[in-house]
Amino acid sequence: MIDDLSELTRAALDSIALATSTDELRRLEHEHLGKDADLMVARRQLGGLPVEQRKDAGQAINAARQLVEQSIHERQIALAADERAAQFDAERLDLTEVATDVAVGHAHIVSQAWEELEDVFLGMGFRVAEGPEVETDWHNFDALNIPPGHPARDGFDTIYVKYGEAGSTLLRTHTSPVQIRTMLAQEPPIHVIAPGRVFRRDTADATHMPVFHQLEGLVIDRDISLADLAGTIEAFTTAYFGAGFSSRLRPNHFPFTEPSAEFDIQRPDGSWLELGGCGMVHPNVLRAGGVDPEQWSGFAFGFGIDRLALMKFGVDDLRELFTNDVRFLSQF
Ligand code: PHE
């Protein structure tokens, strides 16, 4: 029995020494020390031995078990260290590596259109003006010859802000209030554009959004005529879209211009796209801006930037511009 035991122990120690992973070691531990292991079975059979052999045999079995336990423990420590080292090696980051496939974004197509338009108008001698998005009712309407009760107010689907007297503060419905702010801030001659966000109580669909972008233009100088307006619109159209495009004015009505027109651009395929409104600045508007209509005259225009971006990039649903799906945006 003692011979058997040393044979058994040697075999166990050999297999433990040869184990190559902590998983394998766990299996060996079960095999040599588990309930059904030979050593454990022998221990349970001690009771069947003659009394004088029992003590020695018991001690031998315990010594063997301790030896096996000890060697499993040591091998476990060594294998775990190896495995950790291998894992660290596999997961090492080379921080000196130069990345070659970094994803770099770009300006949104509305921003691209906005910036290109600024470039075009700056090249034509305009300066960029700004105004607040939260406006007074006076700048957005009254000063633009739209007094309280004027039917044109209904057409704007205004979003009012709870501030001050009821109805006195709103989210600007167009960029035209910047005309007033600019006239009040500087003497003519004035040549400005005012790109910016505007707001209307609209339900989002393929051609409408409650928030969109407009670009306003205002020129105040001596002897400005409708021909200057038409020429400016034609010049900007061809500068922005390219040589195959042209523009036309169609009579229309706005309270803040007289005469007023709508302007369209013609695509190379001959089709027309309605782009915005324009006209000669109404004398009441000049007066509200502190400009003497006897000495100065001017024109103004305004159009949607988003629409123009849609057309330039061949997109047919305005909502695409605002859902900010990178898969869509990264195409441009
Ligand atoms: N503000 C007008 C609109 O939003 C556009 C416009 C601007 C018309 C300037 C005439 C002159 O519809």
Side-chain angles (χ1 to χ4, degrees), residues 140 144 146 156 173-177 179 198 200 212 214-218 229 252-257 259-263 275-281 299-304:
N140 194 83
L144 289 165
I146 314 175
F156 277 112
T173 59
H174 51 177
T175 42
S176 298
Q179 290 185 32
V198 302
R200 290 185 197 175
F212 57 104
Q214 281 190 335
L215 188 143
E216 191 84 10
L218 175 69
L229 168 59
N252 196 5
H253 173 77
F254 296 102
F256 31 92
T257 45
S260 301
E262 201 121 57
F263 67 94
L275 208 58
C278 61
M280 302 305 293
V281 181
F299 64 78
F301 57 88
F303 59 84

Side-chain angles (χ1 to χ4, degrees), residues 1 27 87 241 251:
M1 151 111 206
R27 257 193 332 272
Q87 184 190 357
F241 287 104

Side-chain angles (χ1 to χ4, degrees), residues 63-129:
R65 199 192 60 188
Q66 274 170 21
L67 210 59
V68 174
E69 273 175 359
Q70 175 70 17
S71 90
I72 287 179
H73 179 67
E74 281 164 10
R75 190 76 191 124
Q76 158 72 27
I77 290 173
L79 284 174
D82 285 354
E83 286 173 10
R84 204 162 36 237
Q87 184 190 357
F88 285 164
D89 214 43
E91 294 175 2
R92 168 181 288 135
L93 291 179
D94 181 357
L95 298 179
T96 65
E97 200 177 341
V98 178
T100 52
D101 57 351
V102 180
V104 180
H106 60 72
H108 190 281
I109 58 178
V110 172
S111 304
Q112 289 182 40
W114 177 325
E115 283 162 19
E116 272 180 52
L117 286 165
E118 281 189 0
D119 282 349
V120 166
F121 282 107
L122 288 176
M124 290 165 66
F126 286 76
R127 203 176 53 76
V128 177

